[in-house]
Amino acid sequence: MNWDDLRFLVVIGREGTLAGAARRLKVDQTTVARRLRALEDALGTPLFERSDGRWQPTATGARVLERATRIEEDVAGLTRIADAGRPGIHGTVRITSVGAIIADWLVPRLPDLYARHPGLDVALVGSNDNLNVARREADIAIRLARPETGDFVIRKLADVGFAVYASAAGEPPDSWVCYDEDLAHTPEMRWLAPRLADSRVRLRSNGVEALTRAVAAGIGQAVLPCFIADTHTGLTRQSGPAPVVTRELWLLIHPDAKQQPRVAAVAEWLAAQFAEHRPAFLGPP
C-alpha cells in the first residue's frame, strides 16, 4: 500500500467529490480516481460509493477514513516537532481569518511584523470556512467564535461590535443589504432576521467588502462590523452608540505549532496588535 494514497482518501472524504478533492490536492480528477482505486485494490474492499452526486464512504471506508485522518494529523505533528527544533525566527506562517480582518485590518499592519522579523513570510487565507489547524491548513486561525471542541491553544483577542449603517449621503433607505443564506447562522444575521420581515433585501453577499460598498452607494442599510464601518467616510451609524451585536474574536494555535519560534512570534505580535486596537473593534461610543 502506498501511504500517500491515504492522503487522497482523506481529502475525498472531506470534499465529498472527486472534483473538489482534485482542486484541493492541485491534481486532475483522473489522478484522484486512480489513487482511490489503487488504495481500494491494496485493501481489497470498496471504500466509497457514489450517491446523489457525492462520494460517501462505505462502512469499511468510514473506519479507514477515521484512522487515516488520525495518521494525517500525526504526520502534521511530526513536521511541527521538526520545525520547532530549527533555530531563529524565519519561514512561512499561515494565518486564516474572515476576509474583512485579513484585508482591512491585518494587511496594513504587516510591515511592522516584517520590520521586527525580516526572516518571516506570511501566507494569508481569507475564508469564512474553518480551516483545520491540526492538519496544518493554517498555523494560526483568527475566528469569530470560541471553539467548542479541539485541542488548541486559544486566546481571546477582542470583542467585535456590529451596528447598523447607512450611506452618509442622503436619507437612510428602508431597504437592506445583508449576507446570503450560507451565513444566516451568524449572530448579526439572527439579529437582523426579524427586522427583514417587512423590508426589502436589495442585495445579498457573503463578503463584508461588498456590503460596505453597497451601503456607501445608497443601495440599503446593513449590519456591519464597527472596526470597518466606523472608519468609512461614506457611512454613518444609524443604531446608536452601543453595538447591536457583539462577537468574540479568538486566536487558535495547535499546541505543537506554538513550540515553533516563528508561529509563537507571530501569535505574540497579533495579540499585541489586537490589544492596542481593542476599543476600535468594539466600536467607539
Side-chain angles (χ1 to χ4, degrees), residues 114-187:
Y114 293 138
R116 293 168 184 260
H117 305 293
L120 274 179
D121 298 318
V122 175
L124 298 176
V125 183
S127 173
N128 292 321
D129 299 326
N130 285 338
L131 299 190
N132 194 297
V133 174
R135 294 193 299 264
R136 298 194 80 214
E137 292 177 333
D139 297 304
I140 296 173
I142 302 171
R143 295 181 179 163
L144 279 163
R146 179 170 182 158
E148 297 180 357
T149 60
D151 182 19
F152 303 111
V153 176
I154 64 173
R155 183 171 185 171
K156 184 177 178 180
L157 295 173
D159 290 309
V160 181
F162 292 76
V164 178
Y165 294 86
S167 173
E171 292 295 320
D174 57 4
S175 57
W176 293 84
V177 299
C178 63
Y179 288 133
D180 57 27
E181 294 301 322
D182 290 341
L183 295 172
H185 63 281
T186 61

Side-chain angles (χ1 to χ4, degrees), residues 17-208:
T17 65
L18 297 186
R23 285 193 297 270
R24 178 60 62 93
L25 292 163
K26 295 181 173 58
V27 298
D28 56 50
Q29 290 188 53
T30 302
T31 299
V32 176
R34 176 173 54 80
R35 300 293 286 269
L36 175 60
R37 286 196 301 270
L39 184 58
E40 290 178 327
D41 290 344
L43 296 176
T45 184
L47 300 175
F48 282 91
E49 55 189 8
R50 194 169 184 181
S51 174
D52 296 328
R54 294 186 64 83
W55 290 78
Q56 303 290 343
T58 63
T60 299
R63 293 195 296 271
V64 173
L65 186 59
E66 180 182 3
R67 182 65 61 89
T69 300
R70 293 203 300 268
I71 292 172
E72 179 192 42
E73 293 179 357
D74 286 343
V75 170
L78 290 173
T79 304
R80 285 190 291 266
I81 290 171
D83 286 346
R86 298 175 61 194
I89 297 174
H90 52 77
T92 300
V93 176
R94 289 175 58 82
I95 304 172
T96 182
S97 188
V98 294
I101 290 176
I102 290 289
D104 293 281
W105 193 84
L106 184 54
V107 167
R109 290 167 172 78
L110 285 179
D112 178 73
L113 176 64
Y114 293 138
R116 293 168 184 260
H117 305 293
L120 274 179
D121 298 318
V122 175
L124 298 176
V125 183
S127 173
N128 292 321
D129 299 326
N130 285 338
L131 299 190
N132 194 297
V133 174
R135 294 193 299 264
R136 298 194 80 214
E137 292 177 333
D139 297 304
I140 296 173
I142 302 171
R143 295 181 179 163
L144 279 163
R146 179 170 182 158
E148 297 180 357
T149 60
D151 182 19
F152 303 111
V153 176
I154 64 173
R155 183 171 185 171
K156 184 177 178 180
L157 295 173
D159 290 309
V160 181
F162 292 76
V164 178
Y165 294 86
S167 173
E171 292 295 320
D174 57 4
S175 57
W176 293 84
V177 299
C178 63
Y179 288 133
D180 57 27
E181 294 301 322
D182 290 341
L183 295 172
H185 63 281
T186 61
E188 55 268 36
M189 282 298 292
R190 291 200 301 269
W191 179 89
L192 182 58
R195 294 163 175 82
L196 297 179
D198 299 320
S199 301
R200 181 181 180 185
V201 177
R202 304 202 66 188
L203 174 72
R204 291 184 184 271
S205 173
N206 66 348
V208 170

Side-chain angles (χ1 to χ4, degrees), residues 164-169 173 176-177 203 209-224 232 234-236:
V164 178
Y165 294 86
S167 173
W176 293 84
V177 299
L203 174 72
E209 181 179 4
L211 298 183
T212 301
R213 289 177 180 268
V215 173
I219 295 174
Q221 56 188 335
V223 179
L224 298 172
H232 196 298
L235 305 183
T236 181

